[in-house]
Amino acid sequence: MHKPASDEAVTSLHDLSAVDLIAGFRAKQFSPSEVLEDVLTHIAVWEPHIKALYAFDPDGARATAKASTERWQKGEPMGTLDGVPVTIKENIATKGVPVPLGAASVKLVPAPADAPPAARLREAGAVIFSKTTMPDYGMLSSGLSSFHPLTRNPWDLAKNPGGSSAGAGAAGAAGYGPLHLGTDIGGSVRLPACWCGLVALKPSLGRVPIDPPYVGRIAGPMTRTVDDAALMMSVLSRPDRRDGMSLPPNDINWKALEKSPRKLRIGLMLDAGTGQALEKDVREVAVKAAKAFESAGAVVTEVDGIMTREMLDGLDNFWRARMWDDLSRLTPAERARALPYIYQWAETATKLSGVDVIRGFNATMAIRAAAAKLFCEIDYVISPVSPVVNFAAELAAPINDPDKPFEHIAYTVPWNMSENPAASINGGFNKKGFPIGVQIVGRRFDDIGVLGMAKAFEGLRGPQRPWPSPPKK
C-alpha cells in the first residue's frame, strides 16, 4: 500500500494509475518490484476465474522490475514507463514467444523480434509480465478461443469480456496493473473496453506503427483512465519503419488534454444505420453523455449513422474471403482445429465470386467517403459502442450466428475503415451494475482531440464505480 494523503482512501498498488505509479517511483514511496509483487499477488486470486493471460512470465518480469528499481534508486529511469506493469495482446509479437492468434490451428513458432508497439513499450522501461488472450484470428468480439481457455468478464463471470482484445479487457477491469495493449480492426479495443468499463483509444490508422499492417488494423491502449491512455500513446506513437502505413512522426503533446466542449459541434449517432437494434439501457447512457456535453456548452444535434446493409455485408464478404485465404493454406486436420464458428463462417467464402469480394472491399471506400462527408459538418460524434449491454461468456458473438457475424459492430467498424480516431469510455451502468461504454469519434488525425473530449467527459461523468472484486472462495 502507498501512503495516502489525509483525504485519500488507501489504494492498493495494483489499482494505481500509471501516472501515479511514476510519481510514486520518483518520490521513492514504493518501488517497481513492490508494485509488481502486489500485481502478481492480485492476479493469483483473479486469474483462475477470468483466464485473461497467455505466456505469463512472473520470473522474467521480476528481473525487469528489479533492474527498474535499481535505476529509480539512482534517479535514472530509462524511459517514460520505467517500472510500470504492462500486458500485451497475444497477436502483437514479443521476441521468443509464439503467436498463436488465439487459434489451435496455428503453428507455434517463437517470434523473432518484438513488433513495433511491444518494442516501444520495452524501450520505455515497461515491465511486460504477460501476453493477453484473444479469440481465433482476432475475428470475434468474444473471449472464446480454440487455443486459450474461455476468458470471462470480471464484472460478471457469466458474461463475455468482448474481443478480440478479450484478455486485455478482463485484465484491465480486474486490476492486473494499469496499462494494457490491444488491437482493433472493427471494434476490438473499444468493445471489450465498453463491456469491461475501461478507456480505450482506436487511434487514426498509422498513428501507432504496427507489424504486420492491414486495412483498418491498429494497436491501442486499454486503461482505466484517460490520462493513462494518453501516457501510453506518447510511447506507442513513436516511429517504426517496419510499418509502411504509418503516419509521419508528429510532435503531439499527449499531456495537452484540457479541452472545453464549448461551442463544439457534436453529432449524436443513436442509429448506426444497420445492425442489431439498440437496447434501451445503452441508448439512455449515450443520450446522457450527449446531454452532459450540451450542459458544458457543446452544440449537439442528432445525426444519421453512416453504415448501410450493403456496407456491412460487403465487409463480411471481404473478411470471409480473407479468413478463408488463411485457412485454405492449412491441411484439413489443421483447419479442423480452428473454432467451428470461424470455420463455418470462413468456408462460405468458397461460394463468393471475385466480384463479390471486390465489392466487399469497395465498401471500405464507401465508408470513408460517408465519414468524410459527416465530419464536414461536425467536430465529434458521440454514439454507443455496442448496441447490447452484454452477452453470455460462452458465445462467439451477441447473436452467435456465423451467417450474421457483425450485427454488433455497426457503431465501431466504420471508423476503422475511415481511419478516424475513436475512443470508448465508460458512460454508466445498467441496474445490475454492468458497465456501458460511450464512443467518442473525431476527425482523421485528431487523436489528441478525441482523448481531450474523453477527458472532459471523465470530469462531467464523475468518478467510476468501484472496480470488481475477486469472487469469494
Side-chain angles (χ1 to χ4, degrees), residues 300-382:
V300 178
T301 52
E302 278 204 48
V303 295
D304 294 330
I306 62 171
M307 289 295 286
T308 64
R309 185 78 255 165
E310 189 178 20
M311 288 171 179
L312 196 58
D313 289 346
L315 288 178
D316 185 4
N317 284 343
F318 169 51
W319 279 336
R320 280 176 201 254
R322 173 180 172 247
M323 188 74 259
W324 187 248
D325 177 38
D326 288 343
L327 291 179
S328 67
R329 295 165 194 263
L330 305 178
T331 66
E334 287 169 335
R335 271 203 296 277
R337 289 200 284 271
L339 204 65
Y341 181 102
I342 288 289
Y343 188 100
Q344 289 169 34
W345 168 67
E347 192 181 26
T348 57
T350 58
K351 297 172 187 164
L352 297 172
S353 70
V355 173
D356 292 332
V357 177
I358 201 68
R359 268 193 198 129
F361 178 76
N362 284 344
T364 67
M365 296 295 123
I367 294 166
R368 287 176 78 103
K373 185 179 179 186
L374 174 66
F375 277 94
C376 288
E377 306 299 327
I378 57 173
D379 301 305
Y380 297 94
V381 166
I382 303 292

Side-chain angles (χ1 to χ4, degrees), residues 10 16 48 66 105 108 117 125 132 148 154 157 194 221 233 264 289 328 408 427:
V10 174
L16 288 180
K66 182 172 183 284
S105 48
L108 296 180
T132 50
H148 302 295
L157 296 177
C194 165
M233 282 300 295
L264 289 175
S328 67
H408 61 288

Side-chain angles (χ1 to χ4, degrees), residues 86-115:
V86 171
T87 71
I88 294 179
K89 188 178 175 180
E90 183 249 275
N91 63 338
I92 297 171
T94 50
K95 187 175 181 180
V97 179
V99 184
L101 303 176
S105 48
V106 172
K107 289 186 176 74
L108 296 180
V109 180
D114 285 344

Side-chain angles (χ1 to χ4, degrees), residues 89-154:
K89 188 178 175 180
E90 183 249 275
N91 63 338
I92 297 171
T94 50
K95 187 175 181 180
V97 179
V99 184
L101 303 176
S105 48
V106 172
K107 289 186 176 74
L108 296 180
V109 180
D114 285 344
R120 298 297 87 75
L121 291 168
R122 212 184 291 276
E123 290 159 7
V127 178
I128 301 166
F129 64 87
S130 189
K131 309 295 285 285
T132 50
T133 61
M134 63 184 279
D136 290 48
Y137 299 96
M139 291 310 295
L140 298 177
S141 303
S142 173
L144 185 64
S145 157
S146 63
F147 180 82
H148 302 295
L150 179 65
T151 303
R152 294 178 179 273
N153 194 313

Side-chain angles (χ1 to χ4, degrees), residues 24-75:
F25 297 154
R26 189 168 284 121
K28 295 188 167 54
Q29 287 180 298
F30 43 75
S31 71
S33 292
E34 289 170 315
V35 170
L36 178 66
E37 289 306 323
D38 192 66
V39 169
L40 295 177
T41 300
H42 189 63
I43 287 170
V45 182
W46 257 122
E47 185 61 9
H49 303 283
I50 61 173
K51 300 284 198 287
L53 302 183
Y54 161 68
F56 181 40
D57 181 18
D59 290 339
R62 285 185 175 108
T64 305
K66 182 172 183 284
S68 175
T69 295
E70 289 165 1
R71 289 192 294 272
W72 278 109
Q73 282 169 350
K74 295 174 191 169

Side-chain angles (χ1 to χ4, degrees), residues 104 153-154 231 245 253 281 293 374 404:
N153 194 313
L231 179 67
M245 297 167 80
N253 179 1
D281 286 349
F293 278 114
L374 174 66
K404 296 178 180 176

Side-chain angles (χ1 to χ4, degrees), residues 385-454:
V385 183
S386 155
V388 302
V389 174
N390 56 38
F391 65 106
E394 295 80 8
L395 301 185
I399 291 179
N400 206 43
D401 180 353
D403 289 334
K404 296 178 180 176
F406 298 131
E407 301 302 300
H408 61 288
I409 66 170
Y411 289 103
T412 50
V413 74
W415 316 118
N416 294 80
M417 301 306 129
S418 65
E419 305 183 10
N420 295 59
S424 174
I425 182 169
N426 180 251
F429 298 81
N430 74 352
K431 290 183 180 67
K432 292 182 177 176
F434 197 88
I436 299 171
V438 170
Q439 183 171 232
I440 301 170
V441 189
R443 290 194 179 99
R444 277 178 80 207
F445 314 132
D446 186 21
D447 303 65
I448 192 68
V450 166
L451 284 175
M453 290 292 282

